[in-house]
Amino acid sequence: MTYQPPVREHAFILRDVLNIDQHGNLPGFADAPFETVEQILEAAAQFTGEVLAPLNHVGDKQGCVWNSDFTVKTPDGFKEAYKQLCEGGWTGLGSDPTYGGQGLPHVVNLAFSEMSSSANMAFSMYPGLAHGAYSAIHTGGTDAQKETYLPKMISGEWTGTMNLTEPHCGTDLGLLRTKAVPQGDGSYKITGQKIWISAGEHDMSDNIVHLVLARIEGAPAGVKGISLFIVPKFFPKEDGSVGARNEGVKCVGLEEKMGIHGNATCVMQYDDAVGYLIGEENSGLKLMFVMMNEARLGVGLQGIAQAEAAYQAAAAFAKDRLQGRSLTGPKNPDGPADPILVHPDVRRMLLQSKALIEGGRAFLFWTALHGDLAHSHPDEAVRTKAEDYMGLMTPVLKGYLTDKGFQVCSDAMQVHGGSGFTEHFPASQYLRDVRIALIYEGTNGVQALDLVGRKLASKGGRGVMTFFQEIDQFIGENDGDAELKPFIDALAGVKAQLQDGTMWLMQNGLQNPDNAGAASTDYMHLFGLTGLAYMWALMVKAANAKIAAGSTDPFFTTKIVTAKFFIERILPDAGAHLAKLKTGSATLMALPAEAF
Ligand SMILES: Cc1cc2nc3c(=O)[nH]c(=O)nc-3n(C[C@H](O)[C@H](O)[C@H](O)COP(=O)(O)OP(=O)(O)OC[C@H]3O[C@@H](n4cnc5c(N)ncnc54)[C@H](O)[C@@H]3O)c2cc1C
């Protein structure tokens, strides 16, 4: 079974649930009425399904190869596929038209990114990292830096990286040691080692633009003394071509990993590499967070993308594999056994996966649309709300959706039985590949802390209050809708639980910060469940409208059954999360280190 891009699912969310055409007066959306978007989705499905998906297994088997001349060879076919990616204009879909991008809404770009990541996660990380670097330069670069780098990064001729991690410094960036020495001509000499740098070296683009966090000599200790630098692999020439090699930056090795073998995870050595400050001195982290926030949404997307591909493989296997008989009598009487899809427990795994994927995808697209509104809506109140949502939802989407993505990939392996544990089926690769998404871009534990420690309280809790109000308003507006009632009631219930958990955190987290830390992951999951309950209510409303208008398409009835499964068999977890988070930190912190 090869991955089939879910164009219909994307179209349903963009047209029927989010109704993107209502934003047709905004820049980007004006060029993308739904008919155009649908054509883009079809073309994206063709490219990702036919070009990227067949390379997924190749990339896993071959991996990347480091050479002693500090070059890296990507798996067979990656280079050619990357050329097609650039020629198709996919690298500039959502980028600024001033520098050659197509300026389409971020939410449309997200649909492409999901397909690309499902088809081949390791490959899609090369343009993904480049887009993050593009965004940081776009936000913080000087005009000259933007003119030099952005057009090449949009066209895909040059890619980009983000260099934060050092051997002794992962989560705690305040420990960062890489140093930057001013040369008096506006440039700096950068020295230090960065590890686990995704796409740090490869053979697919003419140049690699490294964005590197370093400490300028004499800067304050901790996170307040960190600056961001552009360190190009080759120096750009005036005419836009690449010039001399920046000799001080080299990939000195690759990491052996459990997954994403097709993506080069590099040890980068900087020895007096020439770099250029981007943004203000000592405010590098702020700018890096532009990249990180975008990247965190992208990582949440990877959770859903791998889950989708794994679910498709599991569903196909479940229809094919014959074992046992249905508890209610044979369903395949002429065969030696029934397909395993007849067994309620196999269905439980598949429906759970389906409900999490479709709800999670809607939550991602809904948030990405707010990203577009934050960027271009003329009404300041809409922009403010959208910005608040982006801040609040980003850690939830990263943490919750990757936790659930992993669960779905694990269930997909379970549906395959022993075959899933072998390398003859793709389930193993999906499970191995998705696992990193729970770790990088800030571990999921750190996302949960960001949510309870920063995002909740930000601007006096304005974001979360607005979210509660929006849900209340939706419930009020749809109160009399009998068809929607079970979904509205479920939403009202989980929203009350989230409010309860939020109140508990306000009262107990401030008084003892360990209470906030102890509650954080359960709170993040409670938040994720509330987001999905809202999305399922929106999706059922859209499906009901189609059915009321005369549609007999099983797509819509399937949505309603999946939503019922969500409220019957997934949403009850909210109660457990609330109960757990309210137990506080006392027991967790009771044991001395020797007891572990
Ligand atoms: C394949 C791969 C690709 C990567 N790509 C990049 C890249 O392109 N660029 C880059 O800069 N980095 C990259 N990384 C690094 C990645 O972002 C880090 O691994 C991640 O941020 C975690 O840091 P760490 O591994 O040092 O874990 P640590 O920081 O040592 O954390 C270990 C554990 O302790 C927990 N922990 C740590 N501090 C706290 C705290 N304050 N509160 C609660 N829990 C805490 C963590 O949640 C985690 O469970 C990559 C890593 C891998 C494996």
Coordinates of all heavy atoms in Angstrom, one line a residue, residues 125 129 161-173 194-200 211 213 255 257 259-260 263-266 288 292 296 436 438-447 449 517 520, ligand 1:
M125 N 12.1 17.6 5.2 CA 12.8 18.4 6.2 C 13.8 19.3 5.6 O 14.1 20.4 6.1 CB 13.5 17.5 7.3 CG 12.5 16.9 8.2 SD 13.3 15.7 9.3 CE 14.4 16.7 10.3
L129 N 13.3 23.1 6.8 CA 14.3 23.9 7.5 C 14.6 25.2 6.8 O 14.8 26.2 7.4 CB 15.6 23.1 7.7 CG 15.7 22.3 9.0 CD1 15.7 23.2 10.3 CD2 14.8 21.2 9.2
T161 N 19.4 26.2 7.5 CA 19.4 25.4 8.7 C 19.2 26.2 10.0 O 19.3 27.5 9.9 CB 20.8 24.7 8.9 OG1 21.8 25.7 9.2 CG2 21.2 23.9 7.7
M162 N 19.0 25.6 11.1 CA 19.0 26.3 12.3 C 19.9 25.6 13.3 O 19.8 24.4 13.5 CB 17.6 26.4 12.9 CG 16.7 25.2 13.0 SD 15.0 25.6 13.2 CE 15.0 26.1 14.9
N163 N 20.9 26.4 13.8 CA 21.9 25.8 14.7 C 21.8 26.3 16.1 O 22.3 27.4 16.4 CB 23.3 26.2 14.1 CG 23.7 25.6 12.8 OD1 24.7 24.9 12.7 ND2 22.9 25.8 11.8
L164 N 21.1 25.6 16.9 CA 21.0 25.9 18.3 C 21.9 25.0 19.2 O 22.7 25.4 20.0 CB 19.6 25.9 18.8 CG 18.5 26.8 18.2 CD1 18.0 26.3 16.9 CD2 17.4 26.9 19.2
T165 N 21.6 23.7 19.0 CA 22.1 22.7 19.9 C 23.6 22.5 19.9 O 24.3 22.5 18.9 CB 21.4 21.3 19.6 OG1 20.0 21.6 19.5 CG2 21.7 20.3 20.7
E166 N 24.2 22.4 21.1 CA 25.6 22.1 21.3 C 25.7 20.9 22.2 O 24.7 20.5 22.9 CB 26.3 23.3 22.0 CG 26.2 24.5 21.1 CD 26.9 25.8 21.7 OE1 27.5 25.7 22.8 OE2 26.7 26.9 21.1
P167 N 26.9 20.2 22.3 CA 27.0 19.0 23.1 C 26.4 19.1 24.5 O 25.8 18.2 25.0 CB 28.4 18.6 23.0 CG 28.9 19.3 21.8 CD 28.1 20.5 21.6
H168 N 26.7 20.2 25.1 CA 26.3 20.3 26.6 C 25.0 21.2 26.7 O 24.6 21.6 27.8 CB 27.4 21.1 27.3 CG 27.7 22.4 26.7 ND1 28.4 22.5 25.5 CD2 27.2 23.6 27.0 CE1 28.4 23.7 25.1 NE2 27.7 24.5 26.0
C169 N 24.4 21.5 25.6 CA 23.3 22.5 25.7 C 22.2 22.2 24.7 O 22.4 22.4 23.5 CB 23.9 23.9 25.5 SG 23.2 25.1 24.5
G170 N 21.1 21.7 25.2 CA 19.9 21.3 24.3 C 18.8 22.2 24.7 O 18.6 23.3 24.2
T171 N 18.0 21.8 25.7 CA 16.9 22.6 26.2 C 17.3 23.9 26.8 O 16.7 25.0 26.5 CB 16.1 21.8 27.3 OG1 15.6 20.6 26.7 CG2 14.9 22.6 27.8
D172 N 18.4 23.8 27.5 CA 18.9 25.0 28.3 C 19.9 25.8 27.4 O 21.1 25.7 27.6 CB 19.6 24.5 29.6 CG 19.9 25.7 30.5 OD1 19.7 26.8 30.1 OD2 20.3 25.4 31.6
L173 N 19.3 26.7 26.6 CA 20.2 27.4 25.6 C 21.0 28.5 26.3 O 22.0 29.0 25.8 CB 19.3 28.1 24.6 CG 18.7 27.1 23.6 CD1 17.7 27.8 22.7 CD2 19.8 26.5 22.7
K194 N 28.3 22.7 16.8 CA 26.8 22.5 16.9 C 26.5 21.1 16.6 O 27.1 20.5 15.6 CB 26.1 23.4 15.9 CG 26.3 24.9 16.2 CD 25.5 25.4 17.4 CE 25.7 26.8 17.7 NZ 24.8 27.3 18.9
I195 N 25.6 20.4 17.3 CA 25.3 19.0 17.0 C 23.9 18.8 16.6 O 23.0 19.7 16.9 CB 25.7 18.1 18.2 CG1 24.9 18.4 19.4 CG2 27.2 18.2 18.5 CD1 24.9 17.3 20.5
W196 N 23.6 17.7 15.9 CA 22.3 17.3 15.5 C 21.6 18.4 14.6 O 20.5 18.7 14.8 CB 21.4 17.0 16.7 CG 22.0 16.0 17.6 CD1 22.9 15.0 17.3 CD2 21.7 15.8 19.0 NE1 23.2 14.3 18.4 CE2 22.5 14.8 19.5 CE3 20.9 16.5 19.9 CZ2 22.4 14.3 20.8 CZ3 20.8 16.0 21.2 CH2 21.6 15.0 21.6
I197 N 22.4 18.9 13.7 CA 21.9 20.0 12.8 C 21.2 19.3 11.6 O 22.0 18.8 10.7 CB 23.0 21.0 12.4 CG1 23.6 21.6 13.7 CG2 22.4 22.1 11.6 CD1 22.5 22.1 14.8
S198 N 19.9 19.4 11.5 CA 19.2 18.8 10.4 C 19.5 19.6 9.1 O 19.5 20.8 9.1 CB 17.7 18.9 10.6 OG 17.4 18.2 11.8
A199 N 19.8 18.8 8.1 CA 20.1 19.3 6.7 C 21.3 20.2 6.7 O 21.5 21.1 5.8 CB 18.8 20.1 6.2
G200 N 22.2 20.0 7.7 CA 23.4 20.8 7.8 C 24.3 20.7 6.6 O 25.1 21.7 6.3
L211 N 21.8 29.4 10.0 CA 21.5 30.4 11.0 C 22.0 29.9 12.3 O 21.6 28.8 12.8 CB 20.0 30.7 11.1 CG 19.5 31.5 9.9 CD1 18.1 32.0 10.2 CD2 20.3 32.6 9.4
L213 N 23.2 30.4 16.4 CA 23.2 31.1 17.7 C 24.6 31.1 18.3 O 25.2 30.1 18.4 CB 22.2 30.5 18.7 CG 20.8 30.7 18.4 CD1 20.0 30.0 19.6 CD2 20.4 32.2 18.3
E255 N 25.1 11.8 12.3 CA 24.6 11.0 13.4 C 23.9 9.7 12.9 O 23.2 9.7 11.9 CB 23.5 11.9 14.2 CG 23.5 11.7 15.6 CD 24.8 12.1 16.3 OE1 25.2 13.2 16.2 OE2 25.3 11.2 17.0
K257 N 21.0 7.3 13.5 CA 19.7 7.5 14.2 C 18.7 6.4 14.0 O 19.0 5.5 13.2 CB 19.0 8.8 13.6 CG 19.9 10.0 13.4 CD 19.1 11.2 13.0 CE 18.5 11.1 11.6 NZ 19.4 11.3 10.5
G259 N 15.6 6.8 13.1 CA 14.7 7.1 12.0 C 15.1 8.3 11.1 O 16.3 8.7 11.3
I260 N 14.2 8.8 10.3 CA 14.5 9.9 9.3 C 16.0 9.7 8.7 O 16.7 10.7 8.7 CB 14.2 11.3 9.9 CG1 14.9 11.6 11.2 CG2 12.8 11.6 9.9 CD1 15.0 13.1 11.6
N263 N 17.4 12.1 6.1 CA 17.8 13.5 6.4 C 19.1 13.5 7.1 O 19.4 12.7 8.1 CB 16.7 14.2 7.3 CG 16.9 15.7 7.3 OD1 17.6 16.2 8.2 ND2 16.3 16.3 6.4
A264 N 20.0 14.4 6.7 CA 21.4 14.4 7.2 C 21.3 15.2 8.6 O 21.0 16.4 8.6 CB 22.3 15.1 6.2
T265 N 21.6 14.5 9.6 CA 21.7 15.1 11.0 C 23.2 15.3 11.3 O 23.9 14.3 11.5 CB 21.0 14.2 12.0 OG1 19.7 13.9 11.6 CG2 21.0 14.9 13.4
C266 N 23.6 16.5 11.2 CA 25.1 16.8 11.1 C 25.7 17.4 12.4 O 25.1 18.1 13.1 CB 25.3 17.9 10.0 SG 24.6 17.3 8.4
M288 N 15.2 33.7 16.7 CA 15.2 32.3 16.5 C 13.8 31.7 16.8 O 13.4 30.8 16.2 CB 16.3 31.6 17.4 CG 16.6 30.2 17.0 SD 17.1 30.0 15.3 CE 18.8 29.3 15.4
M292 N 11.4 29.0 15.3 CA 11.0 27.9 16.2 C 9.5 27.8 16.2 O 9.0 26.7 16.1 CB 11.5 28.1 17.6 CG 13.0 28.2 17.7 SD 13.7 26.6 18.0 CE 13.3 26.3 19.7
R296 N 7.7 24.6 15.1 CA 6.9 23.8 16.0 C 5.6 23.4 15.4 O 5.1 22.3 15.5 CB 6.7 24.6 17.3 CG 7.9 24.5 18.1 CD 7.9 25.4 19.4 NE 9.1 25.2 20.1 CZ 9.5 25.8 21.2 NH1 8.7 26.6 21.8 NH2 10.6 25.5 21.8
I436 N 11.0 11.2 16.5 CA 11.8 12.4 16.8 C 10.9 13.6 17.0 O 11.3 14.6 17.7 CB 12.8 12.6 15.7 CG1 13.8 13.8 16.0 CG2 12.2 12.9 14.3 CD1 14.6 13.6 17.3
L438 N 8.6 14.1 18.8 CA 8.2 14.4 20.3 C 9.4 15.0 21.0 O 9.3 15.5 22.1 CB 7.9 13.1 21.0 CG 6.5 12.4 20.7 CD1 6.4 11.9 19.3 CD2 6.2 11.3 21.7
I439 N 10.6 15.0 20.3 CA 11.8 15.5 21.0 C 12.3 16.8 20.4 O 12.6 17.7 21.2 CB 12.9 14.4 20.8 CG1 12.5 13.1 21.5 CG2 14.2 14.9 21.4 CD1 13.4 11.9 21.2
Y440 N 12.4 16.9 19.1 CA 13.1 18.1 18.6 C 12.2 19.3 18.6 O 11.0 19.2 18.8 CB 13.9 17.9 17.4 CG 13.2 17.5 16.1 CD1 11.8 17.5 15.9 CD2 14.0 17.0 15.0 CE1 11.3 17.1 14.7 CE2 13.4 16.5 13.9 CZ 12.0 16.6 13.7 OH 11.5 16.2 12.5
E441 N 12.7 20.5 18.3 CA 12.0 21.8 18.4 C 11.5 22.0 19.8 O 10.4 22.6 20.0 CB 10.8 21.8 17.4 CG 11.2 21.9 16.0 CD 12.2 23.0 15.7 OE1 12.2 24.0 16.5 OE2 12.9 22.9 14.7
G442 N 12.2 21.6 20.8 CA 11.7 21.7 22.2 C 10.9 20.4 22.5 O 9.9 20.2 21.8
T443 N 11.4 19.6 23.5 CA 10.7 18.4 23.8 C 9.2 18.6 24.1 O 8.9 19.8 24.5 CB 11.4 17.7 25.0 OG1 11.3 18.5 26.1 CG2 12.8 17.3 24.7
N444 N 8.4 17.6 24.1 CA 7.0 17.8 24.5 C 6.8 18.2 25.9 O 5.9 19.0 26.2 CB 6.2 16.5 24.1 CG 6.0 16.4 22.6 OD1 6.5 17.2 21.9 ND2 5.3 15.4 22.2
G445 N 7.7 17.8 26.8 CA 7.6 18.3 28.2 C 7.9 19.8 28.2 O 7.2 20.5 29.0
V446 N 8.8 20.2 27.4 CA 9.1 21.7 27.4 C 7.9 22.5 26.7 O 7.6 23.6 27.2 CB 10.4 21.9 26.7 CG1 10.7 23.4 26.4 CG2 11.6 21.3 27.5
Q447 N 7.2 21.9 25.8 CA 6.1 22.5 25.2 C 5.0 22.7 26.3 O 4.4 23.8 26.4 CB 5.4 21.7 24.1 CG 6.4 21.4 22.9 CD 6.9 22.6 22.3 OE1 6.2 23.6 22.0 NE2 8.2 22.6 22.0
L449 N 5.4 22.9 29.4 CA 5.9 24.0 30.4 C 5.7 25.4 29.8 O 5.3 26.3 30.5 CB 7.4 23.8 30.7 CG 7.7 22.8 31.8 CD1 9.2 22.9 32.0 CD2 7.0 23.2 33.1
G517 N 4.6 22.5 36.9 CA 5.4 21.5 36.2 C 4.8 20.2 36.2 O 4.7 19.4 35.2
S520 N 1.7 20.0 33.9 CA 1.7 20.6 32.6 C 1.4 19.6 31.4 O 0.6 20.0 30.5 CB 3.1 21.2 32.3 OG 4.1 20.2 32.5
Ligands
LIG1 C1 17.3 14.0 14.6 C2 17.5 15.3 15.4 C3 17.5 16.5 14.6 C4 17.7 17.7 15.3 N1 17.7 18.8 14.6 C5 18.2 20.0 15.2 C6 18.4 21.1 14.4 O1 18.2 21.2 13.2 N2 18.9 22.2 15.0 C7 19.2 22.2 16.4 O2 19.6 23.2 16.9 N3 18.9 21.1 17.1 C8 18.4 20.0 16.6 N4 18.2 18.9 17.3 C9 18.3 19.0 18.8 C10 17.0 19.0 19.5 O3 16.3 20.1 19.3 C11 17.3 18.6 21.0 O4 17.6 17.3 21.1 C12 16.1 19.0 21.9 O5 15.9 20.3 21.9 C13 16.3 18.4 23.3 O6 17.6 18.8 23.8 P1 18.5 17.6 24.4 O7 18.5 16.5 23.5 O8 19.8 18.2 24.8 O9 17.7 17.1 25.7 P2 17.9 17.7 27.2 O10 17.7 19.2 27.1 O11 19.1 17.2 27.8 O12 16.6 17.1 27.9 C14 16.5 15.7 28.4 C15 15.2 15.5 29.0 O13 15.0 16.4 30.1 C16 13.8 17.2 30.0 N5 14.1 18.5 30.4 C17 15.2 19.3 30.2 N6 15.0 20.5 30.7 C18 13.9 20.5 31.4 C19 13.1 21.5 32.1 N7 13.6 22.7 32.3 N8 11.9 21.1 32.6 C20 11.4 19.9 32.3 N9 12.0 19.0 31.6 C21 13.2 19.3 31.1 C22 13.5 17.1 28.5 O14 12.1 17.3 28.2 C23 14.0 15.7 28.1 O15 13.0 14.8 28.4 C24 17.9 17.7 16.7 C25 17.9 16.5 17.4 C26 17.7 15.3 16.8 C27 17.8 14.0 17.6

